[in-house]
Amino acid sequence: MKKTILITGGAGFIGSHVVRKFVQDYPEYTIVNLDLLTYAGNLENLQDIENKPNYIFECADIADAETVDALFKKYAFDGVIHLAAESHVDRSITDPASFVRTNVQGTMVLLHAAKNLWKGNFENKRFYHISTDEVYGSLGAEGLFTETTPYDPKSPYSASKASSDHFVRAYANTYNLPIVISNCSNNYGPNQFPEKLIPLCINNITNKKSLPIYGKGENIRDWLYVIDHAAAIDLIYHKGQHGETYNIGGNNEWTNIALVRTLCKIMDNRLGREEGESEQLITYVTDRAGHDLRYAIDSSKLMNELGWKPSVTFEEGVELTVDWYLDNNDWLQNIVSGDYASYYDSMYKNK
Ligand code: NAD
Ligand code: TYD
């Protein structure tokens, strides 16, 4: 069936994998990627599909209601997959206001534009909000987050995402907007901005720079390969029940220090260094303020009801990831040097 789908944040890490999947797998859909190209947005991520006939890029701010309304009128979207966000916890600690503006206000602007466009006629319409497991707060040594775990966000980032989730459910309850939400654990893989732990360490190991471990490195995250998150998003967009929430996770818990040691080992092997050489770069630094101890997801609802399961083990995924960054060192260095911003100018200025 022909559809026009808005994907927000499609120039970012996860969004670019979702855009690619939808553009390639659904030639009958028109995919409109709306992204403000903040520091985290990078059109180089989509170079391979940017000339496809069913792909359109719009540079815009989701918190700018006038522009968003105009785009909803122009394209008459059938569906929205909303990923645009400020996404880095450390930045939320230094600048919480930008997280409220983009994550809360921006989500509300999109919800309202969808409500105004669809005007109560919701047949074949869907607003899919991509969220995080961090809304559930922090676990102790035991237990998993389920879809019914009470919200208990602890960082400005997770508080802004929790607030956006509440707005999405409020629009379903108040205006019957056909929504679905998923809350995913930590993603890793190609195209992740190198402020996040895994690409930061890969870059620093390559350049023999120190590997900053917050606190004692004992915090635990549940890591999922980004391609498997994109597959879950595809499944939930098409098969998820209206009004439902689905947790997505890798069933793959690692302490930060064990994860970084694993990366060091793989990198030593790939770079022809002596085993143990890169581990010497590990440096314990001051802990993150309010650092959540442990995240771990129970994704049995998604697995049992929609038949999703991860396609790669962590061992496979992390090797694919290291190899991707080593093979795409130009991508990484463009970001590190700031050159990637000029890509947009050269590609889109005169179009
Ligand atoms: P990212 O920071 O890599 O990308 C965010 C994208 O949003 C960028 O392209 C940026 O330019 C765009 N953007 C930011 N502000 C905007 C605005 N005001 N208007 C339009 N576009 C704007 O983030 P990511 O890691 O790809 O995360 C994508 C989504 O998935 C986020 O909603 C995040 O909360 C969620 N999520 C991420 C993870 C993870 O591990 N990265 C895990 C679970 C959920
Ligand atoms: P991050 O990739 O920022 O994701 P999140 O905070 O959303 O989980 O961090 C993952 C874990 O790694 C988290 O416990 C913080 C820790 N961390 C470090 O120890 N050092 C670093 O330089 C970074 C960026 C993160």
Side-chain angles (χ1 to χ4, degrees), residues 138-313:
S138 180
L139 290 164
E142 299 291 318
L144 300 172
F145 296 133
T146 72
E147 288 81 0
T148 55
T149 302
Y151 275 32
D152 188 19
K154 307 265 189 205
S155 73
Y157 164 65
S158 54
S160 69
K161 291 295 291 188
S163 174
S164 65
D165 292 9
H166 290 322
F167 267 99
V168 175
R169 294 196 180 97
Y171 267 69
N173 183 65
T174 310
Y175 309 110
N176 295 320
L177 206 73
I179 65 101
V180 65
I181 298 179
S182 58
N183 296 82
C184 189
S185 62
N186 286 60
N187 284 215
Y188 70 96
N191 302 104
Q192 187 166 31
F193 197 84
E195 65 187 353
K196 304 278 169 67
L197 182 67
I198 290 181
L200 181 144
C201 286
I202 292 174
N203 186 42
N204 287 12
I205 293 169
T206 307
N207 296 299
K208 299 195 175 179
K209 284 165 66 179
S210 70
L211 307 175
I213 304 291
Y214 299 163
K216 294 182 180 154
E218 287 167 357
N219 304 68
I220 293 172
R221 298 291 182 264
D222 174 356
W223 293 94
L224 179 68
Y225 193 50
V226 64
I227 302 290
D228 287 327
H229 189 188
I233 289 173
D234 179 3
L235 196 60
I236 293 168
Y237 182 80
H238 289 101
K239 302 266 166 62
Q241 296 292 314
H242 282 323
E244 288 295 315
T245 297
Y246 297 89
N247 279 355
I248 313 170
N251 193 20
N252 174 46
E253 294 181 46
W254 286 78
T255 61
N256 293 336
I257 186 65
L259 175 59
V260 171
R261 287 207 171 106
T262 300
L263 279 177
C264 287
K265 230 176 242 155
I266 298 172
M267 295 282 291
D268 280 344
N269 174 283
R270 292 294 195 277
L271 297 172
R273 293 182 187 165
E274 237 171 74
E275 193 172 331
E277 191 178 328
S278 298
E279 273 198 26
Q280 319 250 333
L281 299 168
I282 291 174
T283 311
Y284 292 93
V285 300
T286 309
D287 207 354
R288 173 185 280 171
H291 197 171
D292 287 343
L293 178 65
R294 175 172 168 256
Y295 307 142
I297 277 270
D298 175 352
S299 18
S300 53
K301 176 175 172 181
L302 178 63
M303 296 175 110
N304 295 338
E305 292 184 12
L306 302 187
W308 174 85
K309 65 175 185 339
S311 68
V312 293
T313 63

